[in-house]
Amino acid sequence: MPVAPTLKEILNEQSGDDVLAEAFREAESPEPAEEGTPEGFCVECKDQEAHVYCEQCQEDFCEVCGDMIHRTGRRRLHVLRSVAKESSARKVDGEASHESGASAMDQSPEIDDESGSVEATDAQAAMMDSGAFSVNFSSQSGKVETSGGPVFSDWITERAKFIPLRLTLKERKYLRLLEAALNVSEYTDKIDVLMYGNKTKRIVGQIKELCAILSGLVLASDYKAGQTLFEDKQFEDNEEFFQKIFEIGRRHKIMNPEKMRNEYGKLMFLLQDAQTSEVKRMLNLSLVAPIKTVHSVLEALGTTYVLEDEMVAVATREIVALGKTRSQIQLETKQKERAVEYLCKAYATIDCPAEVIRQCLYSIGDNHAYLRFTRDSCDRMIGYLSSLFVPKKAESESLSLAILLGRNGARLTHSHESQYHYVMQTLTLWREMLHDMFMLWHQTDQDLLAPGNTYRLKDTGQGLNRVQSCPRVSKSVHTILHRTQRAVGRWVGSSMVHLGDRNVPNALVFIDKYNQVASILNPIVRVMEFLEGLERSPSLNPDAADLVERAHGGAVAAKKLILADFFRSAFDGSGADNFFDAGSCIDGRLTSAWNWCSTIEKKRYFNVFLLSGFVGFNGGPEGFN
């Protein structure tokens, strides 16, 4: 077992690097075998094909072993050559490799810095330029190079401040108890009503009732643990326990926005009321604790330097199978697993065990998966808009994006070119919102639970709602909006952001609105993929291909028909009755898209949606069976 390096050794420029490299060699070196290394395989791991040859070591290595062994100390000066079938392909410039960190053998894929997936083309990477960074992980130099942004370690360290920590098995058990207690609670029914009487006493009574239900469930599920917690104790004696269990629910919701749809609102409104000074004084305890994030956990243990290691990019990237062979997938999976094990062994300490580091790495991986499911759908729709439509002139009258006030429910008048830019900037704005969604979640949590930020119960036209100011969310949203406006150049429509008013009463309503973007766009993307499959291989589904051909003139024509209608009708300003309340304002654009979703059954291309497996925008995973 390698000895874990200390912080002083890690921060030391030379000796610390040698310690890490040596730790990796010891950890990854297999047991001595009687037989030699198979020809063409790495001399270190002996189970991966060799990709590089070191002239000084006179040995072959795979990419991961060669990278880790030669990235530090004197080994960094070694000259690596690519292992090719022909000897002419083995020539490489060693000096350029050392000075620039670029290897001739390094055909390093572009790693998306948010999703961790390997990008196949420059066009796909270019779609990330508006708010993310194009990251190159050099297999030889061990460096992450970025264009137009900070290095990967700086980026992930900052982003880790908002990435929730994945729940442990014990925390998931508490989560089930919390969901069960909230499911039977009638908190909002009894609190958010206009009636006479002391509201503070009603709030305290409902909070104590919920805490009593939780106590009973914990005692029933684990008698010894429940007895230890609650025997001869009052609610205030278990303040830390209640803070922990409520924090678990808030943290779980951020990473899984499709879960706890009914329970989360009750939870946040209960905690919102519990933050008032009168309720705190009567309860004699506080129920709110900061949300655990990857950065906060590592910071508390003094190991944030883990995030500075370049192997974090490999250990947390998402393995996407699309367009890859089985051997490629297995190779990437093996590299990821070994990178995780290396980081756990190299940085584990007495205070920060390997399991905590592994949990943090998996949490960062969860963040990448979340971004791929939500933000990447916007990238796909932007790609369809730019590739299938031309801003200057419509291909035909049926494919024109022009809309006219009063026609087909539209409340805006745009030419084809104006509508093209209006849709493009809206999709770009949604993408930027989803890219920073974890940050917005944390600021929503802070705005809702700020002790001095009171609310007013008001009829907004959609029933009684808690109207509350959102200073933190508002500042961030305006920052994202201005960044988007600079990126797209031309801005069409209103820039009004509704927060803390009758349209968007509080931060919870805001965050819920933008969590629906993926629910709207993912089903459409799936239909496009279905049509692209028919276009490539109609023989695999001849009946569907024949129907699409007879009804819509083929898969390509059907794609353009669906997208043209979506880009017209889902962005026609039908979010409200006037320009300033919604229409083309920031949140009104999303409301217009929901209006289009509610009329999908009446569209003449609805049969194509059904053929692809569509069941609804709020149905199963991604709206499909």
Side-chain angles (χ1 to χ4, degrees), residues 185-187 190-191 202-210:
S185 173
E186 298 179 343
Y187 184 83
K190 295 184 177 180
I191 300 302
R202 295 204 315 272
I203 291 173
V204 172
Q206 288 297 310
I207 291 176
K208 286 187 175 180
E209 180 180 314
L210 181 67

Side-chain angles (χ1 to χ4, degrees), residues 7 56 90 92 94 127 138 210 226 252 257 270 273 276 298 323 327 330 332 351 401 416 472 544 551 567 591 605 608:
L7 176 59
Q56 283 70 30
R90 299 173 62 91
V92 65
M127 295 167 64
S138 173
L210 181 67
H252 175 72
L270 180 147
D273 291 333
T276 61
L298 293 177
S327 60
Q330 291 175 342
E332 291 182 10
D351 295 329
L401 303 183
H416 172 82
R472 298 174 181 84
F567 294 147
T591 311
Y605 50 75
V608 180

Side-chain angles (χ1 to χ4, degrees), residues 514-534:
Y514 281 94
N515 274 325
Q516 309 309 315
V517 171
S519 299
I520 297 173
L521 299 184
N522 274 322
I524 302 173
V525 171
R526 289 286 298 275
V527 173
M528 295 298 107
E529 293 174 347
F530 169 74
L531 291 173
E532 290 166 357
L534 291 182

Side-chain angles (χ1 to χ4, degrees), residues 311-350:
M311 289 306 293
V312 173
V314 180
T316 61
R317 72 182 180 187
E318 189 179 12
I319 308 300
V320 180
L322 184 64
K324 298 177 184 176
T325 63
R326 183 181 294 273
S327 60
Q328 287 177 312
I329 298 171
Q330 291 175 342
L331 176 61
E332 291 182 10
T333 303
K334 184 68 174 178
Q335 290 175 342
K336 180 176 180 178
E337 291 173 350
R338 295 179 63 198
V340 171
E341 292 305 316
Y342 155 70
L343 291 169
C344 292
K345 292 177 181 179
Y347 293 103
T349 63
I350 297 177

Side-chain angles (χ1 to χ4, degrees), residues 187 191-192 269 272-273 455-456 465-468 505-506:
Y187 184 83
I191 300 302
D192 289 349
F269 288 160
Q272 188 180 39
D273 291 333
Y455 68 86
R456 294 176 290 110
N465 283 278
R466 299 188 177 199
V467 180
Q468 182 189 39
N506 51 62

